[in-house]
Amino acid sequence: MPQPTRTSHRQPADPPATFGEIGRAPARDPGAPPDFAAIAASPEFQELRRRQRRFIFPMTSLFLLWYIGFVVLAAYLPELMAVRVVGVINVGLLLGLAQFLSTLLITALYVRFATRVIDPRVREIHLEATGEEPR
């Protein structure tokens, strides 16, 4: 009489339940603080920092060059700065006022950039980390 062969009759594992999102990871404990190290290491946060740096570093460099250029002109070319444009208004005064205007312009550009790009991503990261809307 032939020997019966042994085969494994294991059933395939059941897929995880999805009804009511049962298979989903448990929600974060509301009393626990966010894992700041994990947030900082996340690709979303790293991309956010890259986007912010791509705006801030060039703008800062541009403004510093503009400011240093103004100081260099005032120190080494005072005759150029003293050229009258209209009445008692000279080139130096116009360039000095332009410093204030460029500061306001850069501030307005950053506020616009932050409102459109940075703030929505910060909100997403905050919501994911804490499970609640930012204040």
Side-chain angles (χ1 to χ4, degrees):
M1 180 153 134
Q3 291 281 342
T5 58
R6 293 188 171 214
T7 58
S8 174
H9 294 287
R10 295 174 69 191
Q11 296 285 344
D14 289 334
T18 57
F19 180 75
E21 298 184 20
I22 293 172
R24 208 172 158 189
R28 187 180 82 68
D29 178 14
D35 184 359
F36 294 111
I39 293 169
S42 73
E44 296 87 6
F45 186 79
Q46 294 300 317
E47 175 60 24
L48 176 67
R49 296 291 293 162
R50 270 191 293 279
R51 291 282 308 204
Q52 188 177 30
R53 287 182 187 127
R54 278 192 303 225
F55 182 91
I56 290 174
F57 290 152
M59 259 325 157
T60 301
S61 301
L62 183 67
F63 181 78
L64 286 174
L65 285 172
W66 165 228
Y67 177 76
I68 291 169
F70 175 75
V71 172
V72 168
L73 285 174
Y76 293 104
L77 294 173
E79 60 280 352
L80 172 68
M81 300 295 262
V83 172
R84 291 182 184 240
V85 178
V86 176
V88 296
I89 298 175
N90 60 25
V91 172
L93 182 60
L94 290 177
L95 290 177
L97 291 173
Q99 291 283 317
F100 289 104
L101 292 176
S102 64
T103 301
L104 292 173
L105 177 65
I106 290 171
T107 302
L109 289 173
Y110 181 75
V111 167
R112 182 174 176 223
F113 170 75
T115 302
R116 290 183 174 188
V117 177
I118 302 297
D119 292 348
R121 292 185 182 177
V122 167
R123 182 184 168 281
E124 289 171 9
I125 292 170
H126 183 277
L127 189 60
E128 185 178 314
T130 65
E132 59 188 40
E133 289 288 325
R135 293 176 218 187

